[in-house]
Structures are given as C-alpha cells and as structure tokens.
Amino acid sequence: MGKKKNQKQQPSASKDDLLNTLGDFTSKENWDSFFTIRGSDDSFEWYAEWPQLRDSLLPRIQQHPSPSSLSPSSSLRILVPGCGNSRLSEHLYDAGFGDITNIDFSKVVISGMLRRNVRDRPNMRWRVMDMTQMQFPDDTFNVVLDKGGLDALMEPELGPQLGTKYLSEVKRVLKSRGKFICLTLAESHVLGLLFPKFRFGWNVCLYAIPQKPSTKPDLQTFMVVAEKESSNELLQIISSFDHSSLACNPNQASGLLEALESENQIRGEYLSGSDVLYSLEDLQLGAKGDLQKLSPGRRVLLTLGEQGVSHFCYKAVLLDAKQQSGAFSFHCGVFIVPKTRSHEWLFSSEEGQWQVVESSKAARLIMVLLEASHANADMEDIQKDLSPLVKPLAPADNDKGNQIPFMTASDGIKQRSVVYQGSSSLTGPVVIEDVVYENTDDDVSHSLPFRRLIFERTEGLVQSEALLTRDGLFDKSVYGAEMKKASSSSKSKRRGALKRNNESSSKMKVYHGYLASSYHTAIISGFSLISSYLESVASSGNRVKAVVIGLGAGLLPMFLHGCMQSMQIEAVELDPVMLNLARDYFGFTEDKRMKVHIADGIQFVRDYRNLYAAGNEVLLSSNGSCKLSDAESRSTAIDIIIVDVDSSDSSSGLRCPAADFVEESFLQNVKDTLSEQGLFVINLVSRSPAIKDAVVSRMKEVFSHLFCIQLEGEVNLVLFGLCSESRIEEDCIPDAALKLDKLLKSEHPEISQSITDAAKKLKRLK
C-alpha cells in the first residue's frame, strides 16, 4: 500500500502509468489491477529501501538488542500488514527472522508473493486478509511492522475511520511488550490519529530514516515505535533526531514537529492532572482507575464516539457521586444537556455538575453536552447513538445489566416563534421570540403568550420576558384568570428547540402593567425597606430619583413608570442596540420622568459620585456624562440604584451581574452616590454558594444594613443594601409592605399582592 502521488517519493516515469490504475488507495479492486499489470517479480518500494532501513529497523525489532550484536531472534512472531510486493519481509527473513506472517487484501499480490518465496523462504506465511479486520486471536504477535499501510488508509478525504479500525486491530493482536513499528511520511493528519491511540500503556519513540543522497530536500520516511507496556503509565514521546537538522521537505518537517509538540503538550497536561479530555480507550486502559468500580468523587472529561463508529462525536463528563453510602435510584444514568443550555454554570462548571449528580440520585452520572453539530438531530436518534457508547462506562454492578436510563434538561416550551434575530458589536447575537409555555394547570383554560429577549452569549438565560396582549391592552375578562398563575422568573427560564415562525401577530403587543419575572417582583418588594421615606417624598410633592443600570427590554423601568407617579427614572444602558430593540419590540418609551443614558454603568456612577460627593449639583446628559448643573436642571442625590445586568463571562460563575459590579470599589461609589435613606438593589444570579457568600461579604463591609430575597426554586438572589443607620426590624416589614402597596398604583390586585407577599420573604443578613 502507499500514498497519493503528490505525497510519496516519486517512482520512475514508467511507474507513473501504473499509479494511474490506483486512484483510491483503499480499493481492493484497484490494487488487484495494479499488481496484475506490474507482476510479482518486480517489487515496488513506496518509502525507504532496505539499505536505508536496516540499521534503524533491526535494533528496534529485537526484543533485547545488545550493543555488541545485532543478531536477530528467531522466536519473534512478526506481522507485516498491507505487505504488497515489497521485499521488506524477504530481507527480514534473510536476516534471521523466520516467523513472519504477511497479509494483504489483494489476492493477486498474495498469490504472486507466495510463488516468489515458496522455495527460498518456505516458512514465510502469506494470507489474504483485510488489515482492518484481522482474523488472528488476541496477543498473537511480538511485532507488527507497517510500511505505508496506515498512510494509505488515511486518505484525507476519507477521514480516520479505516485508520481507527486498523490501529485497534494492531493493539489487539500485539502481545504484552510487543511493538508496533510504523514506517510513515508522518503527515499531521496521520500522526494526529496515531499518537493519541498509543498514549496510556505505550512507550512511543520517533526515528528519522536516513535518505538517499539527493540534490534537493525530499519527503523523508520516519519510524514510529510504540511498545506495549505492562503498566498504564503515560510517557512523553521521545524523538531520536535533532529537530533543527531535518533535511526533508520543509512542509513535512514543520507538520511533523507541530504534531509532536502538540501531542507532548497534551501528555504533559495529563501528567500534571489538568482537566483534559480522555478517550474511551484511555479510560478502558485504566487512565483514571478501574471503570468497573465506583470511585466516590471521580470526575473525568471524555469524548465518546468517532467517525465510522457512531453518527456523532460527543463531549461528556463522567461523575461518580461523592457519597456512595446513600440510596440511589440507579447505578448509572445519562444526562443529556442541549446545546442551548450547555454553557450554563450548572452544566459547564465542576461545582454545578456535582449539584446535578446529587439531584439525579445516580451513583454514576454521564453528562453529555450537545454541540452545534447535533442541532438537527432528533433527541431519540441521539439516545440511540449514545446507547452503545455509554455501556462500557457503566459500573460492573449496574442493575444487573438493565438498560441505562436517559435524562434530558428541558424548558417546557409548547410553541415558539422568532420575531427578531440580529447582532450587536457589544452584546453579540440577540434573539427576540414569542413563546407559549406548556400548560400544567388543569384549572386554566388557555396559556398566555410571552415575548422574550435572549442574548446568545449567555445561552439558555432569558434576559427579559413580557406578557403579550392584543394591542398591549388588558382585558380582564380574557386575561384575569391567567393573572392568578404564579409568575415565572426570566433570567432562569431556559430555551428549548428553536422553531421559526414569521407570522407572529402584529396586534399582539407588550403589556407593561404585568410583571412576568418574579425577580422583578422581588426587586420592587424591597422598596418596602424605605417605604416611609418614599411616602414622605411623595407627600411633599417631590420625586424619588431611581437609576436602573441595565435597560434590557425596558420592562422594569416601564412598570415603575406606570405604577409610581412620584418616581423619576434614569436608565443606563451600554449598548444602543438594546435601546432600539426595547423601543421597537417591547414598547419602551421616554418622557419627562423616563430618561435613557447610553453609558457604562460603572463609569456613570463614578462620575456622578465624583461631582455630587464634592457638593455640586449634577446635570445628566443623554450620553451618560455628568457635569455641573444650572439652576433649572439640577439633580439631587439618587435614592435608588438597581443593577440588573448580565455577565458576558460565564466562566466567572456569575451570570448576573458582571463581576465588576460587585467589586468593593463600585459598591463604595454606589453608597457615596445614594441619599441618606438610599437603597441599592442588585440581582445576583449564580449557582455557586462560594460566589454568593463572597458578594454578600463585600456588601456587608459597605452598607449599614443588608437584606435579601432568595426566590423559591430559582437561582436568583436579590440583595438590598441600605445606607441609613436606623434599623428596620423584620417584624416591621409586613407593615412597611402595606405602606408601599398604597404608593403603587397598580391596576391589578394580583400584582400588588405578589409584591406584598415577596416583601414578607425579606431576610436580614446584617
């Protein structure tokens, strides 16, 4: 076997005509035709010939080479797959290696080679056999010697399927301490398969075969020797040559060295204990212990599937429950995470993954994270594809061989239509969709439609959610029953499979008198903590000044604008695209009591603080800059600052807000900017208790009093920092909530009641 014409050492002109008969180097018929035309007596050497090979090859074949002698051992059993009509086997036989088996799937060449050697080399065996499906028992040979066979199977356009099957067979038929010796042109796509297949339990060395004297650099033959060790130790690949002195084709040299460096880097990461991907073969060799046994707290990243074995490849995490003493629902389960949710902290972080294991009640959980390549596949097909792949990962006592159960993260969406899909240079891809949730309440006659704003950078996290009504008006006879349903938390609802529909009714518009998000309800309920102050400002004819950092769809500012006539609202939004989307799709409007500033929220607060704290009156411009005011447009201290922004860096463990908004320097600037009775509100979204504790600790250092509302069944934690030194006791909060209720001019008792009920959940942290 050999390589494409543009990848091999060029034969003579007369041989070029013969090569035209090949085309596909994996075709049995093509090789039969090639060897029929050529005949068996005229050998064809694809790579280096015996004079160049001898001194490098013979010491590698011997089991225990002696420095003083190169005498071979006749006890070695040698297999030469894809032998063709090369004289390599004959030279080895003549050198004293008498137990050699040659295989090739071309009956023509095997017949010819048998006739050529039957008299002079009677003990040499020749068999017609496919090297990717060898008919030998396990642990048969001491040496498998490949000269161009793997290269021929690895035609780039055909992928690694045949090469993978072949190398699996090589590993199977080799005895312990046996050697796979591969003569190759060492192209990157070949080494990219070869090196990973011989990691754990193999000692791999790389040699350069000397070239014939030439006037110009040519493609050089290299020899990879992989020895099957008795342990599963992982070793670096050793090369026997000076990398800087390679005299071969520059492209060949650079590709080889890059592949070698990359593989050794991966092996170094394995050895250092880094979080790297293992193959199923690695794990079956014992790279992370005995898979047949549960090991409490074991966590392994791995890949499942490969081309030719499964329809798809998958990234997965194997997790053995930390506590193995409890009662488990099953020994082994598979949890499939759709692409739309795979970037969530719960599934992408180690801490979150352990939470899933605990809730799954599985002794071993295999979490499979789907990617873009799986987007068009049906979940049933995914499960069928995964079933044979996960079976080897089940512990030995897996429910006495019962089928491994599959679980899937879902979002409960019944209908979905996309009304906008675009992108912003600051926010990235943005989707606005209308959805109807699956109705699980038998007492409700129909489900309401909602409009949702989603940032693709935080996949699975809904930024804003609003109730849709006909023309944005509220008909109590139509929507009254539905208003009694429990509100859902946006910034924790998840996305499902996307269904495009451009026929969304233009008459359905956002209704601003309804809070679709329970965390918005919680934010407003916290105003109870300063309800006496709010009441005094309203009764004096003045206005409460509120700043909302993070406009999103503008739903929270619009609700406050409609319900609190005494409130002056300043919204700060970094991305001007968001303002346009809020106007075009969510009915956001500005007036004398509602202003938007396109600015960085942290810089906005810092500038305001620097001017106001110095005793100056401040004028706010539409671009968010602050300057000294005149008498007609003065700005007093801010009474309420709300931070409701997402984080573009999900690796921090914070989904909301961005980490800069919980730094102590920003928190201190907020306090300095607020009035003496001021209130700071921040919507915190993180599944990490450690991160939440750190944020709470910082806020305790800055604010006189600290309260929180933990939304039931949700990840949101809403924190409230008070500037006033005077205390408000928890038993006074219900009365304070009633006072707030009188200030709110909501048209719906259900909304007012939900705010009052949320206020009762306020807990003092300091």
Side-chain angles (χ1 to χ4, degrees), residues 73 161 175 248 258 262 266 268 306 413 441 445-446 565 602 625 696:
S73 170
Q161 177 181 350
K175 296 181 178 182
C248 59
E258 182 178 339
S262 174
I266 291 173
E306 56 188 339
I413 300 294
D441 188 346
S445 60
H446 59 276
Q565 300 299 317
I602 292 175
S625 63
V696 168

Side-chain angles (χ1 to χ4, degrees), residues 527-528 530-542 544 564 566 735-736 738-743:
F527 293 2
S528 301
I530 59 169
S531 59
S532 295
Y533 172 69
L534 298 177
E535 183 182 54
S536 66
V537 173
S539 62
S540 66
N542 293 320
V544 174
M564 298 193 73
S566 61
D735 291 337
L738 292 175
K739 192 175 294 185
L740 174 65
D741 183 53
K742 294 178 181 179
L743 294 173

Side-chain angles (χ1 to χ4, degrees), residues 106-392:
S106 171
K107 183 177 181 180
V108 173
V109 77
I110 290 296
S111 298
M113 293 299 285
L114 179 60
R115 286 193 300 271
R116 192 169 90 183
N117 289 280
V118 66
R119 182 173 299 175
D120 296 334
R121 303 172 183 88
N123 294 325
M124 187 123 72
R125 288 177 291 276
W126 303 89
R127 295 186 61 178
V128 178
M129 190 182 297
D130 186 342
M131 59 200 289
T132 67
Q133 300 179 52
M134 299 186 200
Q135 300 162 19
F136 300 114
D138 296 355
D139 307 318
T140 298
F141 297 99
N142 302 100
V143 176
V144 175
L145 175 58
D146 177 315
K147 187 183 181 187
L150 177 62
D151 286 11
L153 294 176
M154 291 290 291
E155 295 288 1
E157 63 270 18
L158 297 179
Q161 177 181 350
L162 292 176
T164 297
K165 293 176 65 176
Y166 167 54
L167 292 180
S168 295
E169 286 291 270
V170 167
K171 295 167 73 171
R172 182 182 65 79
V173 301
L174 271 176
K175 296 181 178 182
S176 178
R177 306 295 297 181
K179 294 179 180 179
F180 175 49
I181 301 177
C182 183
L183 298 167
T184 172
L185 294 182
E187 293 175 283
S188 57
H189 70 284
V190 175
L191 297 183
L193 176 71
L194 178 59
F195 286 161
K197 290 292 184 182
F198 293 89
R199 281 181 181 157
F200 293 91
W202 295 85
N203 185 10
V204 181
C205 297
L206 180 63
Y207 302 87
I209 303 300
Q211 298 191 85
K212 289 182 178 180
S214 176
T215 57
K216 63 179 181 178
D218 202 352
L219 293 178
Q220 186 167 3
T221 301
F222 291 86
M223 182 169 64
V224 178
V225 180
E227 184 173 358
K228 193 175 186 179
E229 300 288 344
S230 56
S231 70
N232 294 323
E233 186 178 4
L234 178 66
L235 303 170
Q236 293 277 305
I237 297 176
I238 304 300
S239 55
S240 66
F241 49 87
D242 183 357
H243 294 182
S244 62
S245 63
L246 286 176
C248 59
N249 182 289
N251 291 334
Q252 183 191 24
S254 63
L256 179 148
L257 297 178
E258 182 178 339
L260 178 62
E261 180 181 355
S262 174
E263 176 63 20
N264 275 335
Q265 181 179 346
I266 291 173
R267 292 177 181 230
E269 291 173 351
Y270 277 119
L271 293 170
S272 67
S274 300
D275 228 2
V276 292
L277 285 170
Y278 291 83
S279 69
L280 181 57
E281 277 188 291
D282 294 337
L283 297 179
Q284 290 175 322
L285 285 170
K288 298 295 287 185
D290 187 356
L291 287 182
Q292 294 295 302
K293 299 178 181 178
L294 293 167
S295 177
R298 173 164 52 189
R299 176 178 176 270
V300 184
L301 304 184
L302 69 150
T303 57
L304 291 172
E306 56 188 339
Q307 188 172 353
V309 176
S310 58
H311 291 297
F312 299 103
C313 295
Y314 306 88
K315 288 184 179 179
V317 189
L318 182 148
L319 303 115
D320 285 350
K322 293 181 177 181
Q323 300 295 329
Q324 293 288 336
S325 57
F328 295 106
S329 300
F330 34 82
H331 281 88
C332 184
V334 178
F335 190 90
I336 302 177
V337 182
K339 176 183 178 295
T340 53
R341 300 194 63 182
S342 62
H343 295 284
E344 293 176 24
W345 177 89
L346 185 63
F347 307 117
S348 64
S349 72
E350 181 174 351
E351 188 176 355
Q353 290 165 1
W354 285 121
Q355 289 188 19
V356 176
V357 174
E358 184 176 353
S359 62
S360 72
K361 301 298 182 182
R364 171 174 293 171
L365 188 69
I366 303 164
M367 184 180 294
V368 180
L369 305 170
L370 300 185
E371 299 175 310
S373 59
H374 311 114
N376 296 322
D378 182 84
M379 190 58 67
E380 183 177 348
D381 294 334
I382 291 287
Q383 292 187 17
K384 288 180 180 178
D385 197 35
L386 278 169
S387 290
L389 302 178
V390 298
K391 282 183 179 179

Side-chain angles (χ1 to χ4, degrees), residues 566-597:
S566 61
M567 181 173 284
Q568 173 71 37
I569 303 169
E570 310 278 350
V572 182
E573 172 57 51
L574 180 63
D575 190 348
V577 173
M578 288 301 104
L579 176 57
N580 292 332
L581 293 178
R583 289 169 174 164
D584 295 343
Y585 293 93
F586 291 89
F588 179 79
T589 57
E590 297 172 78
D591 59 18
K592 291 182 178 180
R593 292 196 300 111
M594 175 79 79
K595 301 293 183 185
V596 177
H597 308 278

Side-chain angles (χ1 to χ4, degrees), residues 8-20:
K8 63 174 186 57
Q9 293 173 322
Q10 292 294 329
S12 63
S14 62
K15 295 179 181 179
D16 287 340
D17 294 336
L18 289 172
L19 289 174
N20 292 329

